[in-house]
Amino acid sequence: MKIERSYDYDVLTMVWLASVKVTHDFLSEEDTEFYHGKIPHDYMPHLEFYAIKNENGNPCAFIGLSTEMIEMLFVHPDAIGKGYGRTLLQFAIKNKGLRKVDVNEQNQRALKFYQKHGFSITGRDNTDSEGKPYPILHLAL
C-alpha cells in the first residue's frame, strides 16, 4: 500500500463523511452536518494529510497529523478491515514519531483498534473540542 501526501480536502471529506455515517452512529444528524461543514475549512488546513488509494485510484483511507498527535484517521466503509488503517497508523508512529491520539468514547470500534496497537487511555474529557456532549478519551503509546 502506497501512502501519499494529500491536499484534496474535498475528496478526504467525502471519505470522512462515508466513514462517520458507519462508525459514528452516536452523532446526531445535526452534529454530523455541523462537523461536515467544519472539517474541510476549520480543521484540515491546520494538519498534514496522508492517504491510501484503492485499486481504482481513489483515496479510501486517510490520516491527519499535527506536530503533536494523530488528529484523525478515517477509512471508507468499503475499505474497512483491509489493513489501510493499520498501515496509516504505523506510518504516523514510525515515520512521524507520533504516539498520541484522541477518540470519541462512544466509538468503541476505534478504541479497540488503538488498544490493539498498544495505545492506552491516559485521560478523558466530558465534551469534545467544540463543547458538544461527546466524551473524548486521550490515548498514548
Side-chain angles (χ1 to χ4, degrees), residues 9 11-12 17 28 34 46 54 56 93 113 118-119 126 138:
Y9 298 163
V11 170
L12 298 181
L17 184 59
S28 69
F34 170 81
H46 306 286
N54 61 19
N56 298 324
I93 294 167
F113 168 79
F119 285 79
N126 290 327
H138 306 291

Side-chain angles (χ1 to χ4, degrees), residues 11 13 17 27 31 36 41 53 67 69 71 77 104 123-124:
V11 170
T13 299
L17 184 59
L27 287 178
D31 283 340
H36 185 221
H41 305 292
K53 295 178 180 176
T67 57
M69 65 188 293
E71 298 286 348
N104 291 101
R124 181 184 184 275

Side-chain angles (χ1 to χ4, degrees), residues 2-58:
K2 184 177 178 189
I3 298 173
E4 298 178 350
R5 183 80 192 264
S6 180
Y7 300 91
D8 194 339
Y9 298 163
D10 291 338
V11 170
L12 298 181
T13 299
M14 290 190 311
V15 172
W16 174 88
L17 184 59
S19 179
V20 164
K21 286 183 176 184
V22 171
T23 61
H24 289 60
D25 58 356
F26 54 89
L27 287 178
S28 69
E29 191 171 323
E30 294 81 18
D31 283 340
T32 299
E33 285 306 310
F34 170 81
Y35 293 112
H36 185 221
K38 292 185 84 59
I39 288 286
H41 305 292
D42 296 345
Y43 301 148
M44 288 184 164
H46 306 286
L47 304 175
E48 275 185 29
F49 286 92
Y50 297 88
I52 297 175
K53 295 178 180 176
N54 61 19
E55 59 277 357
N56 298 324
N58 299 314

